[in-house]
Amino acid sequence: MLPQKQAEEAIVSRSNSTLKDELEQDVDGKGEDEETAHGFNMKSFLWHGGSAWDAWFSCASNQVAQVLLTLPYSFSQLGMLSGIILQLFYGFMGSWTAYLISVLYVEYRTRKEKENASFKNHVIQWFEVLDGLLGPYWKAAGLAFNCTFLLFGSVIQLIACASNIYYINDRLDKRTWTYIFGACCATTVFIPSFHNYRIWSFLGLGMTTYTAYYLTIAAVVHGQVEGVTHSGPTKLVLYFTGATNILYTFGGHAVTVEIMHAMWKPQKFKYIYLMATVYVFTLTLPSAAAVYWAFGDQLLNHSNAFSLLPNSRWRDAAVILMLIHQFITFGFACTPLYFVWEKVIGMHDTKSICLRALARLPVVIPIWFLSIIFPFFGPINSAVGALLVSFTVYIIPAMAHILTYRTPSARQNAAEKPPFFLPSWTAMYAVNAFVVGWVLVVGFGIGGWASMTNFVKQVDTFGLFAKCYQCPKPQPPPAPAPQMRHH
């Protein structure tokens, strides 16, 4: 019996090794070597990306877009020390849960490969991973939170576009600019998948890098405004509103699975998100600290950092580059929604780009509408962070990892073992339990109360469908000089 058992184990081992090799092949049937074997191809170079570098650019580019402009606002709510500490804390926590998502993706993909499943014309998404590993209830939860998060993430990009362009051209109000940019962003329906974001991710990160260093240098050169005060934190509502905005900053995981699936070798993703986060720290920490140092409590009434910096060609360049990046980030947030919608209406396998683009248009309409109803730039970031990102990015991945590997057999046959820096399953459970507890209480509970309180205050102050949120009030015309009477 013993030799027979050893032979069976050897067969299983060879099978797992084969599946691992298959997993490292491109989902479209092209490995990285095959892709480069045909020599240099400009279309492939610009359009068809699936390397580890492509994934890094996608993750880093997707993390920092319009939120870069709201972090000084968060620092004014939190104070300098809390702002820096919470950025580091949530950045590393976000990298951990991104790692968990990548492990669960590999586990799901390996199990499906054993069943001879093919993903040649199918993009795996997070809710499908949850369904395959934990069942339909988890699928429903993942689908609901992910789609709602991506929906409002796209809404935020449109609001930010209108808010930014207003500082270059204020002849049109922000609501009108939202109409215009909604039409522009609708063109993302023509980008098939994350394979095709290679050049966009590269450009997007370059644009954000310029904007971050512009904010830092411009604030330092400007110096502190007269009578500057740094009184934060002053109120619990403001403190936890700022904290949930930072929670949102490092919560770009809603597209993690789609980015992984676009890779030639998905198993290389494990530490990519962490490396992207470390680079993002070099952008967010100096810019937020410098702008808060320069303007202090003035930021409490200016959720967009551009609004306080003086007019210059450098600022106009930063605004334009950020607008282009927000168009790219809109596509990042919307593409998973396009995939879900295509699967619902049975168009996901269609190869015609024009037909798929036409089928995707209904996804853009509610995003457009919501961005006109709720044009609150900073507060909506915090509300989305507390109510949606907390579950999508932190709680669900940590809980799913605990439940997937709760049995000894699941741990023994795991496609990915615990990482080298945390080699014990017990230690992984402890870290996951801490993430769930912290985010549930501090992020969702207290943060949800604070951000919704602040959000309702904005609605009461500005009203729904606000024509020009936080726009400077027009100055009354000067009074006519008194007429001198002649006798």
Side-chain angles (χ1 to χ4, degrees):
M1 288 293 293
L2 190 59
Q4 182 181 353
K5 185 177 180 181
Q6 289 176 342
E8 290 174 354
E9 288 178 351
I11 292 170
V12 171
S13 177
R14 282 197 300 272
S15 174
N16 285 339
S17 177
T18 303
L19 288 170
K20 191 173 182 178
D21 292 339
E22 289 175 359
L23 184 60
E24 293 183 348
Q25 296 300 314
D26 183 26
V27 292
D28 295 328
K30 293 180 182 178
E32 188 174 7
D33 295 335
E34 184 181 339
E35 182 69 23
T36 56
H38 297 90
F40 181 79
N41 182 297
M42 182 58 75
K43 182 180 178 182
S44 294
F45 177 72
L46 297 175
W47 185 249
H48 189 73
S51 68
W53 278 106
D54 288 308
W56 182 85
F57 277 115
S58 293
C59 289
S61 179
N62 189 49
Q63 264 193 54
V64 281
Q66 98 300 329
V67 77
L68 188 72
L69 307 175
T70 65
L71 285 174
Y73 167 66
S74 296
F75 269 48
S76 70
Q77 297 169 320
L78 293 162
M80 185 75 80
L81 182 62
S82 289
I84 293 170
I85 291 173
L86 284 174
Q87 273 206 46
L88 295 170
F89 177 69
Y90 282 125
F92 287 119
M93 186 184 285
S95 299
W96 172 253
T97 51
Y99 169 79
L100 297 181
I101 291 172
S102 72
V103 168
L104 294 172
Y105 168 87
V106 171
E107 183 68 37
Y108 168 77
R109 182 79 179 267
T110 304
R111 292 184 187 184
K112 297 302 285 185
E113 293 284 0
K114 287 180 180 178
E115 299 169 7
N116 297 320
S118 173
F119 301 105
K120 187 173 182 181
N121 294 314
H122 183 92
V123 176
I124 297 174
Q125 294 188 267
W126 177 228
F127 69 90
E128 293 169 318
V129 173
L130 291 173
D131 184 30
L133 297 177
L134 297 172
Y137 292 110
W138 281 84
K139 173 187 176 181
L143 190 61
F145 278 107
N146 238 39
C147 288
T148 311
F149 169 37
L150 290 167
L151 181 76
F152 278 98
S154 305
V155 167
I156 289 168
Q157 299 309 319
L158 281 189
I159 296 170
C161 284
S163 178
N164 290 344
I165 192 65
Y166 184 78
Y167 298 116
I168 291 181
N169 185 338
D170 59 2
R171 284 172 291 186
L172 299 177
D173 59 75
K174 291 182 182 179
R175 189 167 67 191
T176 304
W177 280 120
T178 305
Y179 291 134
I180 294 168
F181 278 100
C184 295
C185 289
T187 58
T188 58
V189 296
F190 289 100
I191 302 176
S193 74
F194 282 99
H195 273 298
N196 314 115
Y197 273 98
R198 166 174 276 184
I199 190 64
W200 296 114
S201 298
F202 175 78
L203 291 174
L205 189 58
M207 294 166 186
T208 311
T209 301
Y210 171 87
T211 303
Y213 283 108
Y214 159 73
L215 291 173
T216 306
I217 295 168
V220 172
V221 170
H222 180 277
Q224 291 185 312
V225 295
E226 187 177 352
V228 66
T229 55
H230 300 88
S231 56
T234 55
K235 298 178 182 177
L236 279 176
V237 170
L238 293 179
Y239 186 87
F240 285 103
T241 300
T244 49
N245 186 42
I246 293 179
L247 182 86
Y248 169 83
T249 303
F250 296 97
H253 306 30
V255 296
T256 299
V257 171
E258 289 83 359
I259 292 172
M260 277 190 74
H261 192 81
M263 291 178 69
W264 292 312
K265 297 181 179 181
Q267 284 189 326
K268 286 187 174 183
F269 185 85
K270 281 185 280 189
Y271 305 117
I272 284 175
Y273 198 91
L274 174 61
M275 292 186 286
T277 299
V278 170
Y279 179 77
V280 167
F281 284 149
T282 69
L283 306 181
T284 58
L285 288 169
S287 60
V291 175
Y292 178 53
W293 168 82
F295 297 101
D297 291 349
Q298 285 188 21
L299 286 158
L300 289 169
N301 298 314
H302 296 83
S303 54
N304 189 326
F306 280 145
S307 63
L308 289 173
L309 291 165
N311 289 329
S312 71
R313 286 181 294 179
W314 297 103
R315 192 191 75 163
D316 289 350
V319 171
I320 292 167
L321 291 177
M322 186 56 72
L323 286 170
I324 299 170
H325 187 208
Q326 281 161 344
F327 165 81
I328 297 166
T329 309
F330 181 92
F332 268 118
C334 259
T335 299
L337 291 175
Y338 296 152
F339 292 155
V340 173
W341 178 246
E342 287 170 359
K343 291 170 185 176
V344 168
I345 63 174
M347 295 285 288
H348 190 56
D349 295 334
T350 304
K351 292 184 179 180
S352 169
I353 292 178
C354 292
L355 205 58
R356 288 178 71 181
L358 193 62
R360 290 172 169 189
L361 276 176
V363 176
V364 180
I365 295 169
I367 294 169
W368 208 349
F369 187 62
L370 286 168
S371 62
I372 294 165
I373 298 177
F374 304 113
F376 313 125
F377 187 48
I380 199 172
N381 279 9
S382 299
V384 169
L387 304 180
L388 300 172
V389 174
S390 57
F391 279 92
T392 301
V393 171
Y394 300 97
I395 295 173
I396 290 178
M399 284 294 298
H401 190 273
I402 291 172
L403 294 177
T404 298
Y405 297 108
R406 66 188 180 278
T407 63
S409 61
R411 294 193 292 272
Q412 185 177 355
N413 298 315
E416 290 283 341
K417 301 301 181 184
F420 69 92
F421 57 87
L422 204 66
S424 164
W425 285 102
T426 304
M428 290 196 74
Y429 295 153
V431 172
N432 290 342
F434 170 78
V435 170
V436 172
W438 177 276
V439 176
L440 195 61
V441 174
V442 178
F444 177 72
I446 303 174
W449 160 75
S451 59
M452 287 310 297
T453 301
N454 190 37
F455 188 79
V456 170
K457 180 184 175 184
Q458 301 299 317
V459 174
D460 290 342
T461 305
F462 295 95
L464 300 177
F465 298 97
K467 191 173 185 179
C468 209
Y469 173 68
Q470 285 189 343
C471 294
K473 294 179 180 178
Q475 296 294 324
Q483 297 288 331
M484 296 294 294
R485 291 186 179 182
H486 297 281
H487 296 284

